[in-house]
Amino acid sequence: MDEWKPNPTVKPHKKRSWYLAWKYKLMNQRALRKLCQTGAVLFLLVTVIVNIKLILDTRRAAYEEEEESAQDYDDEMLNVEAPRHPVNNKKVLDVEVYSSRSKVYVAVDGTTVLEDEAREQGRGIHVIVLNQATGHVMAKRVFDTYSPHEDEAMVLFLNMVARGRILIFTIKDEGSFHLKETAKNVLKSLGSQVAPFLSWRDMWTFVGKKGGEVYGEKHAKSPALSTWGDPVLLKTEVHLTSVEDAECHWPDTELNRRRKRFCSKVEGYGSVCSCKDPTPIEFNPDPLKDNKVFDVPVAVIAGNRPNYLYRMLRSLLSAQGVNPQMITVFIDGYYEEPMDVVELFGLSGIQHTPISIKNARVSQHYKASLTATFNLFPDAKFAVVLEEDLDISVDFFSFLSQSIHLLEEDESLYCISAWNDQGYEHTAEDPSLLYRVETMPGLGWVLRKSLYKDELEPKWPTPEKLWDWDMWMRMPEQRKGRECIIPDISRSYHFGIVGLNMNGYFHEAYFKKHKFNTVPNVQLKNVESLRKDNYETEIHRLLGEAEVLDHSKNPCEDSFVPDTEGKVYVMFIRMEQEADFTTWTQLAKCLHIWDLDVRGNHKGLWRLFRKKNHFLVVGVPASPYSSKKPSSVTPIFMEPPAKEEGVAAVPAVAAAEQT
Amino acid sequence: NGAAFSKVKGSQSGQDSTRWHVVRKFLGLTSGHNIPVYLIDPLILGLVDKDIEQIRSSPDGPSPECKYFCAPRDFTTFALLDKTWKHEVGLFRTAEKMGFQWLKIINKDPRLDGMDDLSGMEIPLHYIFKLASHAIHLVVFYERSGNFLWHGPLRLKQHMDRKFVPFRKLHFGRYPGAYEKPELLLVSIDDLKVQIPKNPSSFLEEMSHSRFLECRYREARAFFQLYPDDASLDAVEFRKKAKSLLHLAALTLNNLRVKFWLSSGTCLGWYRQCNVIPHSKDVDLGIFIRDYKADIIPAFQNAGLPLKHKFGKVEDSLELSFQGEGDVKLDIFFFYEEDDHIWNGGTQAKSGKKFKYLFPKFTLCWTEFVELKVHVPCETLQYVEANYGPEWKVPVKTWDWKSSPFNVQDNGVWPIDEWDNVIQIY
């Protein structure tokens, strides 16, 4: 506190808003007087003088208050990583909640637990959940209910919060535009009188107990479409209950002790904390016979998305053949909640002080995580690398157990990945089929220790190079012509929507319709044919068997492929040299598969399914398989789109690079 | 029939049935939780070693008397491999129910210490289970890169009960230690089934010089703050080659059972930056001349490292150089012990001039370097300072082995008639 220095960027902003509020008020007064035409010039002058004095006073007052509240923020800064301040056996909590256009804050017993005055972000309804016995912050969320569907997320969240918890709401900027009836009713059921009538740019604060009493509510209506309601500050007291009352009475087992610790700290995980019928936190999936990956360490790379991590770890721990002792979760930053999730499942977690920024930060986090993994498991020859926003297929480890020997023995392999970039609902069909591809898909993959230690680690991009680790790994200098093995049907599913390079639209377009294997114990077909030379034999066999499609038809049309099942078809597209993907990109676009860069190719050949038929695309003449083209067939050429479309696609490409 | 058995024990003079009972209870506790502990108590292993043939041949035989676990001692030492058990609270609850008091000593995980900015959970290094007047010291061993086992030092924290057991008397924990992975043998001694190292005498021998030094990761980070690491392709390539050369050299010398340590620039690299110095051009090892074997040269040649030059002779200033892959040289210096110092020699080929490099006496410690368990002088700072002077922290790119070292002395000239023998260049 003593070392606090006023923040020069904040002060003028705040001063101005107070000043303007007063100025508008005073101008109105003056206008009234003028209208009435009762005032003499002298009187006006006096008024002006008084007003000027008032303004000056207000400014001073505002300045002082600024300094005071700013000290609170300083506290907040110190407590940024640990907002759960202890409350010493106190029975009553003082709660302050502030709502305004440009700033919200919540203070509990003088400690700021939420403070948001950043521009251009944090819009909507902020919700804080407090433990009714300890006063600790258990969850902090913001729902941008100005935008569509966010109110649904809020309802979902509020329904998951246990009865008896203390809920604090405050609006920043605008929170009503897409706040629909259902959500308003939920707020009303919590005891809010105002919620049903919340409208455009209203300011609102509310404190209540879920399923119980209301501690206070304040509201300021927006006077006009173009202006915001006045800031509101709600000060109230909350009576704490006993710890006994706040906890569930689960049988005293080691698992339940973990559960109890978790559930008394955080909120928003639904039935895992249900008193009556809590969802299990131990899964005991069937072990795998002859599991070749039982001793392979699993590194889960995580940031601060604890709900994702929770979902991810549930699916991972449910996969057959999982070995929880080999799992380490690497958290990028000193975040408590992800660590709480890790401990809930009895796994080990490691926190990583963030270095560098944005993509470079992710990249450095990856490096540290991989190095640590091989340090912790010095006997390991491989590591499985997962991310916190993936669902893991039930046969993930079975898939790896059947294929990992290839990575050990075939030096032309770069990785095994659980993800097929082109494996969409309409293009993937066979869970037992594997491919070799020249691209590195990531999203659940196996890394060979020797590759990491001898090649990647020593020259990993340094923090000042703002590179994506995966783009770097895909560069020819690193990949050196080696290939990855992927399944036709992915063994991971990318559910992350909010991430560094993710947005809702992008996810919808490129990830939602991805096929994900749910069949247990799939026996992979002919794994040996994935070895370098065997694979060529296999491809030639396939091409020999394949029926050449009618190249006079439009390949984008469904009718391009006959209405058959289980046949093999081939088409030839124009591909002048190795890097000519003009036609492929257009084809990918119209087939609604990944088109943002080239994925899934092997020597100018792509393999996918159309209408349950194996569908091969050969780039002529660049591909060595061009010789299979009958001389009568002219390779299909497709034009790149008009200029504007190309321009529009640019940001999407930038966004796609991370995945 | 433990009760009857212990009765016999108790009646014998100078024997302590309490110890036997506590050990039995402890073994019951660990086997009940599927925790595979093994005995590493040096005093007991010493006794066991004398009877090892007999113990091996009768793994189940009843003992006529309590020979091992009844000598009155304050504690008995066991080991546990970290990866063979899951840290579980259940063990301690059962232990408490059985009447044990227990103490856990945890500390930072050294396997993450070398890494920037990672903070893992602290790991358990030692446990002490106390019952009545006897305590079990359970040492936790961890696998480290370099295919060896490591145990941590035992350091008490502020609030801990310093009188819980006579800590100073413990056989493990004064220093961290490095061990090979032991082969275990299940035996029955004093009617207790217990795992012991298959070869107790070699375990005890290993224990006598097991002291481990952790690299100074924090100082290395500070060094790289001042002098950013060379990330050029050449540097990456050199480090890769130096690492594989060092691995090959270690394999060759270990097979011959010749003890060696990191010397000169390689030692400086470990001590100063926990890595190979990329602008050094060779890998340097030291060997005591008393450990010299004639097999060394053919062994390296068989490993694919031809002899580049041989200077000096076994009696004086011996130095061998082998040609590694791609221009990286392996230099082996032989060290001669005097009453108050140790030295190694150098020879200038064209002039026959001799040089002498003086070091204060040192002992050897284990460390982990480029995924290898290797020796370094325990008194590393004195060693490095002797060689490089007080400015050893400042990188020097131009180095002349005849004049740059801080501890170089002229040592005359080889007699011309010996040149053919003491200056051999290939």
Side-chain angles (χ1 to χ4, degrees):
Chain A
M1 283 283 227
D2 296 336
E3 287 176 12
W4 179 82
K5 291 188 188 78
N7 183 346
T9 60
V10 174
K11 229 187 304 165
H13 172 67
K14 162 111 193 206
K15 232 188 302 182
R16 198 183 324 122
S17 62
W18 276 89
Y19 169 73
L20 287 176
W22 276 96
K23 199 174 131 189
Y24 291 140
K25 236 179 184 171
L26 297 171
M27 275 166 67
N28 281 342
Q29 284 173 12
R30 267 185 299 213
L32 258 171
R33 276 158 224 252
K34 271 185 187 169
L35 272 172
C36 296
Q37 296 204 337
T38 51
V41 174
L42 187 69
F43 186 68
L44 251 173
L45 267 173
V46 170
T47 317
V48 167
I49 289 163
V50 168
N51 285 348
I52 287 170
K53 191 175 181 298
L54 239 170
I55 290 166
L56 288 172
D57 285 350
T58 314
R59 279 174 117 177
R60 202 177 305 130
Y63 180 82
E64 277 158 14
E65 188 184 304
E66 162 70 13
E67 192 144 36
E68 245 171 49
S69 49
Q71 284 185 349
D72 285 343
Y73 313 147
D74 191 44
D75 242 335
E76 153 77 6
M77 303 262 274
L78 294 172
N79 285 315
V80 149
E81 307 299 352
R84 294 155 204 169
H85 62 105
V87 182
N88 312 321
N89 295 328
K90 221 186 138 205
K91 288 282 184 285
V92 179
L93 286 183
D94 296 318
V95 178
E96 265 181 57
V97 195
Y98 183 78
S99 163
S100 72
R101 174 195 174 183
S102 56
K103 165 178 167 181
V104 287
Y105 76 80
V106 173
V108 177
D109 265 359
T111 304
T112 309
V113 295
L114 163 72
E115 184 271 331
D116 182 349
E117 53 182 332
R119 280 165 200 234
E120 314 286 327
Q121 62 184 53
R123 177 181 60 199
I125 303 182
H126 291 248
V127 187
I128 284 185
V129 184
L130 300 184
N131 185 302
Q132 67 271 42
T134 61
H136 288 178
V137 175
M138 301 184 72
K140 230 198 271 199
R141 299 282 191 281
V142 54
F143 301 97
D144 178 14
T145 43
Y146 170 82
S147 309
H149 304 303
E150 287 275 314
D151 62 333
E152 294 159 22
M154 184 175 77
V155 168
L156 218 62
F157 174 74
L158 291 174
N159 285 340
M160 278 200 289
V161 172
R163 269 177 75 90
R165 301 278 187 239
I166 292 146
L167 290 163
I168 301 173
F169 295 84
T170 178
I171 286 182
K172 182 178 177 188
D173 190 359
E174 212 304 302
S176 75
F177 190 50
H178 274 100
L179 189 67
K180 295 281 171 350
E181 216 48 40
T182 321
K184 286 181 174 175
N185 284 335
V186 169
L187 295 176
K188 190 180 162 196
S189 75
L190 292 170
S192 166
Q193 310 256 323
V194 176
F197 316 106
L198 264 184
S199 58
W200 178 249
R201 290 183 174 172
D202 285 0
M203 295 300 129
W204 174 62
T205 58
F206 174 73
V207 182
K209 173 178 267 192
K210 185 161 177 190
E213 60 209 286
V214 171
Y215 298 107
E217 181 165 31
K218 266 196 178 175
H219 175 232
K221 262 209 102 40
S222 154
L225 273 184
S226 59
T227 56
W228 284 260
D230 288 335
V232 293
L233 175 62
L234 169 65
K235 292 188 180 189
T236 183
E237 286 185 345
V238 169
H239 292 265
L240 294 175
T241 59
S242 73
V243 174
E244 274 289 287
D245 293 344
E247 283 181 348
C248 298
H249 301 283
W250 297 303
D252 185 31
T253 63
E254 197 160 337
L255 284 184
N256 278 339
R257 248 171 277 137
R258 279 194 335 233
R259 188 194 296 279
K260 203 168 205 164
R261 206 159 41 227
F262 181 77
C263 295
S264 65
K265 276 182 92 176
V266 295
E267 262 290 356
Y269 291 84
S271 57
V272 74
C273 295
S274 149
C275 284
K276 258 194 175 162
D277 186 21
T279 188
I281 53 172
E282 199 174 55
F283 307 93
N284 301 314
D286 295 341
L288 272 187
K289 253 190 225 157
D290 193 19
N291 187 350
K292 301 274 199 318
V293 291
F294 191 74
D295 288 330
V296 175
V298 177
V300 179
I301 315 288
N304 190 18
R305 297 184 290 181
N307 290 74
Y308 285 16
L309 184 62
Y310 174 81
R311 170 172 168 178
M312 189 275 164
L313 292 177
R314 285 193 80 90
S315 79
L316 176 62
L317 292 170
S318 306
Q320 293 179 354
V322 66
N323 179 359
Q325 276 185 265
M326 300 305 286
I327 300 173
T328 314
V329 181
F330 293 91
I331 300 162
D332 191 10
Y334 282 105
Y335 301 113
E336 269 189 68
E337 201 167 319
M339 204 56 158
D340 294 334
V341 171
V342 171
E343 283 169 10
L344 170 72
F345 291 114
L347 301 173
S348 45
I350 288 173
Q351 289 169 315
H352 181 204
T353 315
I355 30 183
S356 190
I357 47 163
K358 295 213 173 132
N359 293 342
R361 170 170 163 178
V362 174
S363 172
Q364 293 310 305
H365 181 52
Y366 256 88
K367 182 187 181 189
S369 306
L370 298 177
T371 302
T373 300
F374 289 120
N375 281 354
L376 291 172
F377 301 96
D379 279 355
K381 284 189 200 148
F382 307 99
V384 173
V385 186
L386 300 171
E387 286 157 48
E388 67 184 341
D389 52 2
L390 297 177
D391 281 330
I392 298 305
S393 167
V394 64
D395 80 329
F396 179 77
F397 291 105
S398 158
F399 157 70
L400 294 182
S401 177
Q402 294 175 66
S403 54
I404 194 135
H405 65 284
L406 294 176
L407 192 56
E408 190 165 1
E409 294 157 15
D410 185 345
E411 294 204 334
S412 69
L413 287 178
Y414 198 47
C415 77
I416 298 177
S417 173
W419 180 259
N420 176 3
D421 283 305
Q422 308 294 21
Y424 291 84
E425 287 288 353
H426 61 290
T427 56
E429 207 54 55
D430 185 352
S432 67
L433 183 62
L434 303 178
Y435 301 133
R436 280 179 81 106
V437 294
E438 288 167 20
T439 48
M440 195 218 131
L443 300 177
W445 54 289
V446 186
L447 169 68
R448 199 195 278 132
K449 180 179 181 176
S450 57
L451 169 65
Y452 182 67
K453 280 283 165 190
D454 299 343
E455 301 182 42
L456 303 179
E457 186 188 39
K459 51 177 184 171
W460 197 272
T462 44
E464 73 275 4
K465 297 195 180 95
L466 302 177
W467 285 351
D468 290 325
W469 68 273
D470 53 343
M471 295 308 279
W472 177 77
M473 266 194 78
R474 286 173 187 140
M475 281 153 60
E477 296 88 322
Q478 275 65 252
R479 196 170 61 79
K480 295 181 180 159
R482 289 169 290 192
E483 295 186 299
C484 289
I485 288 194
I486 60 162
D488 178 52
I489 300 184
S490 298
R491 262 47 175 199
S492 60
Y493 179 76
H494 192 217
F495 64 75
I497 300 173
V498 188
L500 188 54
N501 293 308
M502 272 291 154
N503 58 56
Y505 165 76
F506 184 71
H507 184 266
E508 190 91 9
Y510 288 101
F511 290 100
K512 211 168 169 191
K513 300 209 169 81
H514 235 96
K515 201 157 189 167
F516 175 59
N517 181 53
T518 51
V519 183
N521 287 319
V522 175
Q523 192 65 42
L524 300 180
K525 200 164 52 187
N526 203 0
V527 177
E528 291 309 303
S529 70
L530 272 298
R531 287 179 196 273
K532 191 174 189 232
D533 296 338
N534 297 356
Y535 196 67
E536 295 315 308
T537 317
E538 172 67 10
I539 297 294
H540 281 282
R541 188 192 63 76
L542 262 180
L543 287 168
E545 173 192 326
E547 201 171 299
V548 179
L549 288 162
D550 181 352
H551 282 57
S552 65
K553 289 185 177 169
N554 180 350
C556 296
E557 300 282 328
D558 230 25
S559 58
F560 185 67
V561 178
D563 292 320
T564 56
E565 268 188 33
K567 298 197 73 172
V568 183
Y569 294 110
V570 61
M571 76 173 283
F572 299 90
I573 60 170
R574 200 197 287 179
M575 184 173 168
E576 295 299 342
Q577 6 76 25
E578 227 180 295
D580 170 19
F581 299 115
T582 320
T583 302
W584 166 255
T585 304
Q586 295 321 305
L587 183 64
K589 248 190 217 350
C590 76
L591 295 180
H592 301 289
I593 56 178
W594 186 273
D595 59 10
L596 301 181
D597 54 12
V598 178
R599 303 277 176 103
N601 49 316
H602 166 83
K603 299 188 178 177
L605 165 81
W606 287 266
R607 297 176 65 180
L608 42 135
F609 281 85
R610 279 183 84 175
K611 292 190 194 167
K612 306 204 173 194
N613 300 294
H614 203 20
F615 177 69
L616 312 175
V617 181
V618 176
V620 178
S623 169
Y625 310 124
S626 301
S627 57
K628 296 278 173 178
K629 183 185 75 67
S631 51
S632 58
V633 168
T634 311
I636 289 179
F637 174 67
M638 292 167 80
E639 293 280 2
K643 270 279 183 244
E644 293 118 292
E645 222 177 305
V647 171
V650 166
V653 173
E657 284 174 352
Q658 176 64 15
T659 52
Chain B
N1 192 346
F5 183 70
S6 66
K7 218 173 174 183
V8 182
K9 312 282 131 44
S11 63
Q12 288 175 12
S13 64
Q15 300 238 325
D16 180 8
S17 68
T18 313
R19 184 188 193 190
W20 184 86
H21 274 288
V22 172
V23 170
R24 191 179 62 116
K25 275 201 164 191
F26 176 73
L27 289 172
L29 170 71
T30 52
S31 68
H33 282 82
N34 281 322
I35 301 172
V37 298
Y38 57 97
L39 185 75
I40 53 168
D41 194 289
L43 300 177
I44 297 181
L45 286 182
L47 294 172
V48 164
D49 190 49
K50 288 182 191 150
D51 309 334
I52 190 71
E53 289 312 320
Q54 190 200 336
I55 291 172
R56 270 188 196 143
S57 59
S58 59
D60 296 311
S63 305
E65 51 168 344
C66 184
K67 276 180 77 176
Y68 310 100
F69 287 115
C70 291
R73 297 274 178 252
D74 292 324
F75 47 83
T76 307
T77 317
F78 284 88
L80 167 63
L81 255 182
D82 166 69
K83 76 162 187 183
T84 58
W85 78 306
K86 203 175 151 198
H87 308 205
E88 47 168 335
V89 193
L91 174 73
F92 303 107
R93 311 197 122 209
T94 320
E96 281 164 16
K97 278 183 200 146
M98 291 168 84
F100 280 105
Q101 287 176 278
W102 56 274
L103 182 79
K104 174 161 88 169
I105 281 110
I106 57 171
N107 216 324
K108 274 191 304 193
D109 190 335
R111 298 167 302 178
L112 300 177
D113 226 27
M115 313 217 19
D116 295 345
D117 318 305
L118 281 195
S119 61
M121 297 163 181
E122 296 203 316
I123 53 171
L125 300 180
H126 298 264
Y127 292 101
I128 292 168
F129 294 85
K130 190 167 78 171
L131 185 65
S133 60
H134 193 72
I136 305 288
H137 178 198
L138 182 60
V139 183
V140 188
F141 282 80
Y142 289 85
E143 284 187 359
R144 297 278 303 250
S145 297
N147 199 29
F148 67 99
L149 298 181
W150 170 92
H151 75 74
L154 194 156
R155 300 284 175 268
L156 296 176
K157 294 196 174 157
Q158 281 294 311
H159 59 277
M160 284 179 171
D161 177 4
R162 270 145 213 285
K163 298 207 170 105
F164 190 72
V165 289
F167 286 103
R168 288 183 182 283
K169 288 196 203 162
L170 295 176
H171 296 295
F172 288 80
R174 186 172 154 79
Y175 298 116
Y179 289 81
E180 294 300 306
K181 294 176 187 171
E183 269 188 87
L184 297 179
L185 183 69
L186 182 67
V187 296
S188 173
I189 46 179
D190 292 349
D191 285 353
L192 296 175
K193 285 227 179 279
V194 60
Q195 298 221 79
I196 60 168
K198 199 170 179 183
N199 189 341
S201 64
S202 63
F203 179 83
L204 292 172
E205 211 277 321
E206 195 179 11
M207 182 183 164
S208 64
H209 44 81
S210 63
R211 185 177 163 195
F212 180 87
L213 280 186
E214 204 66 67
C215 200
R216 301 153 72 246
Y217 295 111
R218 207 146 31 107
E219 287 83 353
R221 273 202 286 281
F223 173 82
F224 284 123
Q225 292 281 319
L226 269 176
Y227 310 101
D229 200 13
D230 181 354
S232 67
L233 263 182
D234 284 352
V236 168
E237 270 309 299
F238 175 75
R239 278 187 169 147
K240 197 174 150 183
K241 283 179 196 153
K243 177 180 165 183
S244 74
L245 181 57
L246 191 55
H247 275 247
L248 188 56
L251 184 71
T252 309
L253 291 170
N254 289 341
N255 281 342
L256 293 173
R257 303 191 169 276
V258 171
K259 199 165 25 167
F260 68 94
W261 65 89
L262 305 183
S263 191
S264 308
T266 311
C267 185
L268 177 65
W270 170 78
Y271 190 69
R272 185 172 71 188
Q273 50 207 75
C274 299
N275 206 340
V276 173
I277 300 175
H279 54 80
S280 60
K281 287 287 162 268
D282 43 28
V283 170
D284 304 313
L285 301 180
I287 293 177
F288 287 120
I289 194 67
R290 62 176 138 87
D291 293 329
Y292 173 79
K293 287 183 180 165
D295 301 348
I296 291 178
I297 296 173
F300 274 108
Q301 282 167 333
N302 287 340
L305 302 175
L307 185 64
K308 201 172 177 228
H309 60 241
K310 179 184 172 196
F311 293 141
K313 51 189 179 179
V314 175
E315 304 79 47
D316 185 10
S317 302
L318 183 64
E319 178 191 344
L320 301 175
S321 255
F322 297 92
Q323 186 58 56
E325 178 211 348
D327 254 16
V328 186
K329 192 159 59 93
L330 173 70
D331 287 333
I332 300 183
F333 305 103
F334 289 85
F335 281 68
Y336 297 79
E337 279 182 272
E338 307 291 343
D339 286 342
D340 59 346
H341 69 278
I342 298 179
W343 63 275
N344 73 301
T347 298
Q348 190 179 27
K350 65 168 195 258
S351 65
K353 269 192 196 164
K354 291 170 72 188
F355 300 92
K356 196 172 190 178
Y357 305 87
L358 267 57
F359 293 90
K361 287 208 152 195
F362 57 86
T363 51
L364 291 180
C365 276
W366 291 112
T367 193
E368 180 193 317
F369 185 60
V370 294
E371 291 171 71
L372 209 54
K373 175 191 166 212
V374 285
H375 276 126
V376 287
C378 299
E379 298 78 12
T380 330
L381 178 61
Q382 287 92 306
Y383 188 85
V384 167
E385 272 193 338
N387 208 178
Y388 294 95
E391 296 297 308
W392 59 271
K393 280 188 183 176
V394 183
V396 176
K397 292 217 174 172
T398 47
W399 183 260
D400 178 11
W401 58 273
K402 301 178 294 303
S403 58
S404 303
F406 199 68
N407 56 343
V408 66
Q409 289 184 1
D410 287 338
N411 193 22
V413 183
W414 289 104
I416 302 268
D417 58 338
E418 280 198 64
W419 279 31
D420 279 354
N421 183 33
V422 299
I423 304 175
Q424 301 181 22
I425 297 175
Y426 299 91

